[in-house]
Coordinates of all heavy atoms in Angstrom, one line a residue:
P130 N 9.1 -2.8 -67.5 CA 8.3 -3.6 -68.4 C 7.4 -2.7 -69.3 O 6.7 -1.8 -68.8 CB 7.5 -4.6 -67.4 CG 8.3 -4.5 -66.1 CD 8.9 -3.1 -66.1
F131 N 7.4 -2.9 -70.6 CA 6.5 -2.2 -71.4 C 5.5 -3.1 -72.0 O 5.8 -4.1 -72.7 CB 7.3 -1.5 -72.5 CG 6.5 -0.7 -73.5 CD1 5.9 0.4 -73.2 CD2 6.3 -1.2 -74.8 CE1 5.1 1.1 -74.1 CE2 5.6 -0.5 -75.8 CZ 4.9 0.6 -75.3
R132 N 4.3 -2.9 -71.9 CA 3.1 -3.7 -72.4 C 2.8 -3.4 -73.9 O 2.6 -2.3 -74.2 CB 1.9 -3.5 -71.6 CG 2.0 -4.0 -70.2 CD 0.7 -3.7 -69.4 NE 0.3 -2.4 -69.4 CZ -0.7 -1.9 -70.2 NH1 -1.4 -2.7 -70.9 NH2 -1.1 -0.7 -70.2
A133 N 3.0 -4.4 -74.7 CA 2.6 -4.2 -76.1 C 1.2 -3.7 -76.3 O 1.0 -3.0 -77.3 CB 2.9 -5.5 -76.9
A134 N 0.3 -4.1 -75.5 CA -1.1 -3.7 -75.6 C -1.2 -2.3 -75.5 O -2.2 -1.6 -76.0 CB -1.9 -4.4 -74.4
A135 N -0.3 -1.5 -75.0 CA -0.4 0.0 -74.9 C -0.3 0.6 -76.2 O -0.9 1.7 -76.3 CB 0.7 0.5 -74.0
V136 N 0.2 -0.1 -77.2 CA 0.3 0.6 -78.6 C -0.2 -0.3 -79.6 O -0.3 0.1 -80.8 CB 1.8 1.0 -78.9 CG1 2.3 2.1 -77.9 CG2 2.7 -0.2 -78.7
A137 N -0.5 -1.5 -79.4 CA -0.8 -2.6 -80.3 C -1.9 -2.0 -81.4 O -1.9 -2.2 -82.6 CB -1.1 -3.9 -79.9
G138 N -3.0 -1.4 -80.7 CA -4.0 -1.0 -81.7 C -3.7 0.2 -82.5 O -4.5 0.6 -83.3
L139 N -2.6 0.9 -82.2 CA -2.2 2.2 -82.9 C -1.3 1.9 -84.0 O -1.0 2.8 -84.9 CB -1.6 3.1 -81.9 CG -2.5 3.6 -80.9 CD1 -1.8 4.4 -79.7 CD2 -3.6 4.5 -81.3
I140 N -0.6 0.7 -84.1 CA 0.5 0.5 -85.1 C -0.1 0.1 -86.4 O -0.9 -0.8 -86.4 CB 1.5 -0.6 -84.5 CG1 2.1 -0.2 -83.2 CG2 2.5 -0.9 -85.6 CD1 3.0 -1.2 -82.6
S141 N 0.4 0.7 -87.4 CA -0.1 0.4 -88.9 C 1.1 -0.3 -89.5 O 2.2 -0.2 -89.1 CB -0.5 1.7 -89.5 OG 0.5 2.6 -89.6
A142 N 0.8 -1.0 -90.6 CA 1.8 -1.6 -91.4 C 2.8 -0.7 -91.9 O 2.5 0.5 -92.2 CB 1.1 -2.3 -92.6
S143 N 4.1 -1.1 -91.9 CA 5.1 -0.3 -92.4 C 5.9 -1.0 -93.5 O 5.5 -2.0 -93.9 CB 6.2 -0.1 -91.2 OG 7.2 0.9 -91.5
V144 N 6.9 -0.3 -94.0 CA 7.7 -0.8 -95.2 C 8.6 -2.0 -94.8 O 8.9 -2.8 -95.6 CB 8.6 0.3 -95.7 CG1 7.8 1.4 -96.5 CG2 9.6 0.9 -94.7
R145 N 8.9 -2.1 -93.5 CA 9.6 -3.2 -93.0 C 8.9 -3.7 -91.7 O 8.5 -3.0 -90.8 CB 11.1 -2.9 -92.6 CG 11.9 -2.5 -93.8 CD 13.4 -2.6 -93.5 NE 13.7 -1.8 -92.3 CZ 13.9 -0.5 -92.3 NH1 13.8 0.2 -93.6 NH2 14.3 0.2 -91.3
A146 N 8.8 -5.2 -91.5 CA 8.1 -5.7 -90.4 C 8.8 -5.3 -89.1 O 8.0 -5.1 -88.1 CB 8.0 -7.2 -90.6
A147 N 10.1 -5.1 -89.2 CA 10.7 -4.7 -87.8 C 10.3 -3.4 -87.3 O 10.3 -3.2 -86.2 CB 12.3 -4.7 -88.2
L148 N 9.8 -2.5 -88.1 CA 9.4 -1.2 -87.7 C 8.1 -1.3 -87.0 O 7.7 -0.2 -86.5 CB 9.4 -0.2 -88.9 CG 10.7 0.0 -89.6 CD1 10.4 0.9 -90.9 CD2 11.7 0.6 -88.8
E149 N 7.4 -2.4 -87.1 CA 6.0 -2.6 -86.5 C 6.1 -3.1 -85.0 O 5.2 -3.3 -84.3 CB 5.3 -3.6 -87.3 CG 5.0 -3.0 -88.8 CD 4.4 -4.0 -89.7 OE1 3.7 -4.9 -89.2 OE2 4.6 -3.9 -90.9
A150 N 7.4 -3.5 -84.6 CA 7.5 -3.9 -83.2 C 7.1 -2.9 -82.2 O 7.4 -1.8 -82.3 CB 9.0 -4.3 -82.9
P151 N 6.2 -3.4 -81.2 CA 5.6 -2.4 -80.1 C 6.8 -1.6 -79.5 O 6.6 -0.6 -79.1 CB 4.8 -3.4 -79.3 CG 4.5 -4.4 -80.2 CD 5.5 -4.7 -81.1
L152 N 7.9 -2.4 -79.2 CA 9.0 -1.7 -78.4 C 9.6 -0.5 -79.1 O 10.1 0.4 -78.5 CB 10.1 -2.8 -78.2 CG 11.1 -2.4 -76.9 CD1 10.3 -2.2 -75.7 CD2 12.1 -3.5 -76.9
N153 N 9.4 -0.4 -80.5 CA 9.9 0.9 -81.2 C 9.1 2.1 -80.6 O 9.5 3.2 -80.9 CB 9.6 0.7 -82.7 CG 10.4 -0.3 -83.3 OD1 11.6 -0.6 -82.7 ND2 10.1 -0.9 -84.4
Y154 N 7.9 1.9 -80.1 CA 7.1 3.0 -79.7 C 7.2 3.3 -78.2 O 6.4 4.0 -77.6 CB 5.6 2.6 -80.0 CG 5.4 2.6 -81.6 CD1 5.6 1.3 -82.3 CD2 5.0 3.6 -82.2 CE1 5.4 1.2 -83.6 CE2 4.8 3.6 -83.7 CZ 5.1 2.3 -84.3 OH 5.0 2.3 -85.7
A155 N 8.0 2.5 -77.5 CA 8.1 2.6 -76.0 C 8.6 4.0 -75.6 O 8.2 4.5 -74.5 CB 9.0 1.6 -75.5
R156 N 9.5 4.7 -76.4 CA 10.0 6.0 -76.1 C 8.9 7.0 -76.0 O 9.1 8.0 -75.3 CB 10.9 6.5 -77.1 CG 10.4 6.5 -78.6 CD 11.5 6.7 -79.6 NE 11.0 6.5 -81.0 CZ 11.8 6.4 -82.0 NH1 13.1 6.3 -81.9 NH2 11.2 6.1 -83.2
N157 N 7.7 6.8 -76.7 CA 6.6 7.7 -76.5 C 6.0 7.7 -75.1 O 5.4 8.7 -74.7 CB 5.4 7.3 -77.3 CG 5.8 7.3 -78.9 OD1 6.9 7.7 -79.2 ND2 4.9 6.8 -79.7
H158 N 6.4 6.6 -74.3 CA 5.9 6.5 -72.9 C 6.9 6.8 -71.8 O 6.6 6.4 -70.7 CB 5.3 5.1 -72.8 CG 4.1 4.7 -73.7 ND1 2.9 4.6 -73.0 CD2 4.0 4.5 -75.0 CE1 2.0 4.4 -74.2 NE2 2.6 4.4 -75.2
L159 N 8.0 7.3 -72.2 CA 9.0 7.5 -71.2 C 8.6 8.4 -70.1 O 8.9 8.0 -68.9 CB 10.3 8.3 -71.9 CG 11.3 7.4 -72.7 CD1 12.4 8.4 -73.3 CD2 11.9 6.4 -71.8
A160 N 7.9 9.4 -70.3 CA 7.4 10.3 -69.2 C 6.5 9.6 -68.2 O 6.5 9.9 -67.1 CB 6.6 11.5 -69.8
E161 N 5.8 8.6 -68.7 CA 4.9 7.7 -67.8 C 5.7 6.7 -67.0 O 5.3 6.3 -65.9 CB 3.8 7.3 -68.5 CG 2.7 8.2 -68.9 CD 3.1 8.9 -70.3 OE1 3.9 8.3 -71.1 OE2 2.7 10.0 -70.5
L162 N 6.7 6.0 -67.7 CA 7.4 4.9 -67.2 C 8.5 5.3 -66.2 O 8.6 4.7 -65.2 CB 8.0 4.1 -68.3 CG 7.0 3.4 -69.3 CD1 7.7 2.8 -70.4 CD2 6.1 2.4 -68.5
L163 N 9.2 6.4 -66.5 CA 10.2 6.8 -65.6 C 9.7 7.5 -64.3 O 8.7 8.1 -64.4 CB 11.3 7.8 -66.3 CG 12.4 6.9 -67.0 CD1 11.9 6.0 -68.1 CD2 13.3 8.0 -67.8
P164 N 10.4 7.5 -63.2 CA 9.9 8.1 -62.0 C 9.7 9.6 -62.3 O 10.5 10.2 -63.1 CB 11.1 7.9 -61.0 CG 11.8 6.7 -61.5 CD 11.7 6.8 -63.0
R165 N 8.8 10.2 -61.7 CA 8.4 11.6 -61.9 C 9.4 12.7 -61.5 O 9.5 13.8 -61.8 CB 7.1 12.0 -61.4 CG 5.9 11.2 -61.9 CD 4.6 11.6 -61.4 NE 4.2 13.0 -62.0 CZ 3.6 13.2 -63.1 NH1 3.3 12.1 -63.9 NH2 3.3 14.4 -63.5
C166 N 10.3 12.2 -60.6 CA 11.5 13.1 -60.2 C 12.6 13.2 -61.2 O 13.4 14.1 -61.0 CB 12.0 12.5 -58.8 SG 12.8 10.9 -58.9
V167 N 12.5 12.3 -62.3 CA 13.5 12.5 -63.3 C 13.2 13.7 -64.2 O 12.1 13.6 -64.9 CB 13.6 11.2 -64.0 CG1 14.6 11.3 -65.3 CG2 14.0 10.0 -63.1
P168 N 14.0 14.7 -64.3 CA 13.5 16.0 -65.1 C 13.7 15.8 -66.5 O 12.9 16.4 -67.3 CB 14.4 17.0 -64.4 CG 15.7 16.2 -64.1 CD 15.3 14.9 -63.6
R169 N 14.7 15.0 -67.0 CA 14.9 14.8 -68.4 C 15.7 13.5 -68.6 O 16.1 13.0 -67.6 CB 15.7 16.0 -69.0 CG 17.1 16.2 -68.5 CD 18.1 17.0 -69.3 NE 17.6 18.4 -69.4 CZ 18.2 19.3 -70.3 NH1 19.3 18.9 -71.0 NH2 17.7 20.5 -70.4
A170 N 15.7 13.1 -69.8 CA 16.3 11.9 -70.2 C 16.9 12.0 -71.5 O 16.4 12.6 -72.4 CB 15.4 10.7 -70.2
I171 N 18.1 11.4 -71.7 CA 18.7 11.2 -73.1 C 18.1 9.9 -73.6 O 18.5 8.8 -73.0 CB 20.2 11.3 -73.1 CG1 20.7 12.6 -72.6 CG2 20.8 10.9 -74.4 CD1 22.3 12.5 -72.4

Side-chain angles (χ1 to χ4, degrees):
F131 178 71
R132 296 181 302 106
V136 295
L139 296 168
I140 298 175
S141 58
S143 186
V144 292
R145 295 195 306 275
L148 298 178
E149 300 169 26
L152 199 57
N153 291 339
Y154 297 85
R156 60 191 169 198
N157 301 351
H158 293 254
L159 277 179
E161 288 80 26
L162 293 172
L163 271 58
R165 296 187 71 86
C166 64
V167 176
R169 64 162 60 183
I171 297 174

